[in-house]
Amino acid sequence: MSDLNKNSRKLSKDAYGGIKGEDYVPFIPATVVMPEMTGYSIIFGILFAILFAAANTYLGLKVGLTISAGIPGAILATGLFKTFFKRNNILEANFTASLAAVGESIAGGIIFILPALILFGMGLSMFTVIIVTIIGGFMGCYFITPVRKYLIVEEHGSLVYPESMAQSEVLVIGSEGGKGFKYMITGIITGMFYKLFSGGFGFWKESVTYIIKPYEKTMIGIDTLASLLGVGFIIGLETSSLMFAGSIVAWLGLIPLIKYFGNFVQVAVFPSSIPIAEMSAQEVWGSYIRYIGAGAVAMGGFISLAKSMPTIISSFQKSLSGMAGGDHSSSSKNADRINQDAPIVWLITAAIFGFLATWLVPSIGGGIIGGILAVLFCFFFAVVSARMVGVIGASNNPVSGMTIATLLIVATVFKLTGNIGKEGIRMSLLVCGIVCVSTAVAGGVAQSLKATYIIGGTPKKIQLGMFIALCIASIGAGATVILMQKAYGIGSDAVPAPQATLMKLIVEGIMTAKLPWTLVIIGAAIAIFCYIAKLPILPVALGLYLPITLTTAIFVGGVVRVFAERKFKNNEEEKTEAVEKGILLASGLVAGDAILGIFIGIMAALNISINFGASIVPQSNLITFIIFTLFCIWVYRYTVSKDKK
């Protein structure tokens, strides 16, 4: 191993293209025998999958965003194996990172649609979350098997798979002694302690708010959470400022406008049940602005889908033609490690299982029609998703747009076949939940398979490991959803669940036609304006939808990153290193905040109070603001500091 590493300290230029895929020699050639799917890699991969599934579910329900898990998973895997187990095995680390990545995928699939059942008052059980994840995940993992060779090998160099290449580089650097593990662990520990002393012990408040009484009593403020600061640093100033701009339009524009005219109306205006004159800014946001924001998000999804349609159609056609023309003998047990695909029988089993489970499992109850729709849409969007991540990466994969399209068709079909009312809504959401999970997982699996191809791992082992991990991690994600509902309430100010609210709006509009369409259309008009003005729609739409206290904190994280970049504006290499260090630290802050947030939620659900600090320290906005400012300064200084050699 040591001799191999001396000659292979970085990825070759061939990893990025320039040669035929079948001629590419991986970082670890097939002739080198090395452990991959071991007890270490399986156990830690599953643990990381649970960690990132819970963390991303927690974060997604709060702000509608998730963070990438593949690259942080690679950092954690290489650091953990080298530091504590003295195992410098890049194939094991890649396997673990791939399992970690599936945590993000299932979290995105779950939070997009399943919490809508709670918003409808139907409830959501742990078993339902788990079975939906397993059904969709099974199909997502194996429906891309026939197109794996075409997308990953034959399209080598043509399809970039940007996040896969980044993960591969991280694995190589980590195996050569990278320091990313230390940065992430520092972030996790710091995020946990910060959350413990604020949201747990209550030594300072987690939010600073100010009511602007002369301006129709609207509100500004900031949620001083480590996770939000971390998200802002990760996504950067451009996206975070657009989110903040959307909130400015909502909280300093639309809410005062509604309040101004509402003061002259003495009766309640639909959809609110109380007069506007008697409503606070938060109540106006909850009754009116959220519909505008949801309309903007929905139109953004439609526009994204429309823009992607040529790519979607060509992706599907090219993938199927590649599958038809390819040689699939690579599934043979005698094939080289890097060419061992999952047996095609697993694809057939996934399709049959998906159809029967969607039809016959009582908690799903999609019927024969639902089973057929689930399998068809899962296969179509799994293939599309696998190719899309090759172009734009898994983080930018338009899963929400594909889910919206699925929901529109599925809900319409159910309505036309007599499945209306609450039962029709429930069936539509569950079938689309399966498709959403499948689409998200397929993209995540394709990303991991590309990294595995570059490093030199075994495709069929990666798929099997990711399926096992998602089955177990679904428990963590489901528990997080149920916990957030019991502790805070899905749809509340604390847990807005923006995507699920959007899905509720869509299916409700199809099934009942009882929606404040004027508000929805206003949001759609804002989204169209953003498109014409060449502004990214989703960040602005999320800003409209989310409380301004959330987007302010995210914006501050983006500002901290800008200061760190400007520190090294004259040295591109040092700036890149500082940003990478800051992103790893920020990823750790998000994970640490989420871990303690889940623990505090458990305490709240059990009616156990640990908030003793509130009786010791005055709960003032000034103290909270000072502490958060000092925390931001620490993040900046840690990011730009030089490591001791």
Side-chain angles (χ1 to χ4, degrees):
M1 178 65 185
S2 59
D3 292 337
L4 179 67
N5 277 346
K6 287 177 182 177
N7 297 322
S8 308
R9 302 191 74 85
K10 63 180 181 178
L11 289 178
S12 68
K13 60 181 178 59
D14 293 341
Y16 291 87
I19 63 171
K20 290 183 178 181
E22 55 264 32
D23 295 331
Y24 169 69
V25 178
F27 184 76
I28 304 296
T31 54
V32 176
V33 178
M34 186 179 293
E36 181 178 6
M37 189 175 179
T38 65
Y40 288 98
S41 62
I42 293 172
I43 292 172
F44 285 109
I46 290 173
L47 290 176
F48 291 161
I50 295 171
L51 168 65
F52 285 109
N56 276 301
T57 300
Y58 174 86
L59 185 64
L61 289 173
K62 291 180 76 69
V63 299
L65 298 171
T66 58
I67 61 168
S68 175
I71 296 172
I75 294 290
L76 287 172
T78 53
L80 182 70
F81 288 151
K82 287 183 65 175
T83 304
F84 295 102
F85 298 99
K86 310 302 179 185
R87 299 172 69 88
N88 190 16
N89 184 334
I90 195 171
L91 292 189
E92 278 187 316
N94 175 67
F95 187 89
T96 298
S98 298
L99 269 59
V102 84
E104 177 200 0
S105 297
I106 65 170
I110 289 169
I111 64 171
F112 274 3
I113 198 162
L114 293 185
L117 292 165
I118 295 174
L119 297 175
F120 273 113
M122 300 178 188
L124 181 64
S125 69
M126 272 280 292
F127 177 78
T128 300
V129 175
I130 293 170
I131 193 65
V132 166
T133 304
I134 291 175
I135 296 170
F138 195 3
M139 290 190 280
C141 276
Y142 288 101
F143 274 7
I144 66 171
T145 299
V147 297
R148 199 255 347 154
K149 184 178 180 182
Y150 172 72
L151 295 178
I152 305 299
V153 181
E154 293 180 21
E155 288 285 277
H156 178 62
S158 298
L159 289 178
V160 181
Y161 284 93
E163 294 179 21
S164 301
M165 298 311 299
Q167 178 177 323
S168 301
E169 291 282 9
V170 165
L171 286 165
V172 172
I173 293 171
S175 69
E176 298 297 332
K179 299 178 180 179
F181 178 70
K182 181 179 71 174
Y183 306 147
M184 271 211 70
I185 294 299
T186 299
I188 290 173
I189 294 173
T190 304
M192 291 175 67
F193 272 98
Y194 185 90
K195 183 70 173 182
L196 180 63
F197 281 88
S198 57
F201 296 154
F203 283 106
W204 62 88
K205 299 193 299 181
E206 288 195 299
S207 184
V208 174
T209 57
Y210 177 71
I211 306 298
I212 310 176
K213 293 182 179 179
Y215 192 45
E216 300 298 340
K217 297 182 180 179
T218 193
M219 185 188 77
I220 57 174
I222 180 171
D223 286 335
T224 57
L225 302 178
S227 57
L228 300 182
L229 180 68
V231 167
F233 194 103
I234 292 167
I235 66 177
L237 184 64
E238 181 180 355
T239 301
S240 63
S241 61
L242 287 171
M243 292 181 67
F244 185 53
S247 290
I248 289 175
V249 170
W251 291 81
L252 299 181
L254 296 176
I255 289 177
L257 183 67
I258 292 171
K259 285 282 290 179
Y260 177 79
F261 287 107
N263 289 331
F264 301 101
V265 181
Q266 302 303 314
V267 296
V269 179
F270 178 77
S272 176
S273 59
I274 59 176
I276 294 173
E278 300 176 11
M279 300 172 72
S280 66
Q282 293 97 317
E283 289 171 330
V284 172
W285 170 77
S287 296
Y288 301 104
I289 302 302
R290 288 206 293 180
Y291 285 101
I292 296 174
V297 174
M299 180 55 70
F302 293 138
I303 292 173
S304 174
L305 194 64
K307 288 170 63 179
S308 304
M309 193 55 68
T311 305
I312 288 174
I313 294 172
S314 64
S315 294
F316 193 72
Q317 291 174 338
K318 289 180 180 179
S319 297
L320 290 184
S321 63
M323 177 180 68
D327 176 12
H328 302 293
S329 61
S330 60
S331 60
S332 169
K333 293 182 180 179
N334 297 322
D336 290 339
R337 177 183 69 232
I338 59 176
N339 291 316
Q340 289 183 10
D341 282 317
I344 204 70
V345 69
W346 282 97
L347 181 152
I348 298 171
T349 303
I352 294 173
F353 174 76
F355 168 70
L356 292 177
T358 305
W359 172 19
L360 299 174
V361 172
S363 62
I364 307 295
I368 294 178
I369 295 175
I372 294 172
L373 290 172
V375 173
L376 289 178
F377 278 108
C378 281
F379 181 72
F380 178 77
F381 284 128
V383 173
V384 169
S385 182
R387 186 180 180 88
M388 291 290 282
V389 299
V391 179
I392 57 178
S395 298
N396 298 310
N397 193 15
V399 174
S400 59
M402 291 184 266
T403 304
I404 290 170
T406 303
L407 184 58
L408 286 169
I409 297 172
V410 169
T412 301
V413 169
F414 277 138
K415 185 175 182 180
L416 293 175
T417 54
N419 295 293
I420 57 176
K422 280 199 168 185
E423 184 61 17
I425 290 173
R426 186 190 67 82
M427 292 168 63
S428 299
L429 290 174
L430 288 169
V431 169
C432 288
I434 291 170
V435 176
C436 186
V437 170
S438 174
T439 304
V441 167
V445 171
Q447 176 174 294
S448 294
L449 287 176
K450 180 64 176 182
T452 299
Y453 165 73
I454 296 298
I455 296 300
T458 312
K460 70 176 185 180
K461 290 182 179 179
I462 294 294
Q463 286 173 275
L464 176 59
M466 292 183 79
F467 177 61
I468 293 171
L470 75 85
C471 290
I472 299 174
S474 66
I475 300 173
T480 303
V481 174
I482 304 304
L483 177 63
M484 297 290 273
Q485 164 63 9
K486 288 184 177 180
Y488 309 107
I490 301 292
S492 65
D493 290 355
V495 191
Q499 283 96 346
T501 302
L502 168 62
M503 300 305 172
K504 174 181 182 291
L505 181 151
I506 292 172
V507 73
E508 191 175 41
I510 294 172
M511 291 293 185
T512 68
K514 292 181 180 180
L515 280 176
W517 284 106
T518 299
L519 299 176
V520 175
I521 293 170
I522 290 172
I526 293 174
I528 293 171
F529 160 76
C530 291
Y531 175 68
I532 295 172
K534 301 187 184 305
L535 294 173
I537 299 172
L538 183 59
V540 177
L542 282 173
L544 281 170
Y545 180 86
L546 293 170
I548 193 171
T549 53
L550 287 176
T551 58
T552 303
I554 293 172
F555 174 68
V556 169
V559 171
V560 172
R561 175 167 172 171
V562 168
F563 278 116
E565 290 173 340
R566 289 184 177 177
K567 170 77 172 178
F568 303 108
K569 62 181 179 180
N570 297 322
N571 189 320
E572 193 64 30
E573 183 178 348
E574 289 187 342
K575 183 173 78 171
T576 300
E577 290 179 359
V579 170
E580 290 177 351
K581 179 179 180 180
I583 289 175
L584 290 170
L585 177 72
S587 298
L589 291 176
V590 172
D593 188 317
I595 292 169
L596 256 294
I598 292 169
F599 169 75
I600 293 167
I602 293 173
M603 295 294 101
L606 296 174
N607 293 318
I608 299 174
S609 176
I610 59 174
N611 191 28
F612 60 86
S615 60
I616 300 174
V617 181
Q619 301 292 291
S620 73
N621 284 346
L622 180 61
I623 291 176
T624 300
F625 184 77
I626 291 173
I627 291 174
F628 188 66
T629 301
L630 293 174
F631 185 60
C632 293
I633 293 172
W634 175 82
V635 171
Y636 164 77
R637 295 190 66 177
Y638 185 88
T639 300
V640 301
S641 63
K642 301 286 186 180
D643 292 323
K644 295 180 180 179
K645 294 183 179 181

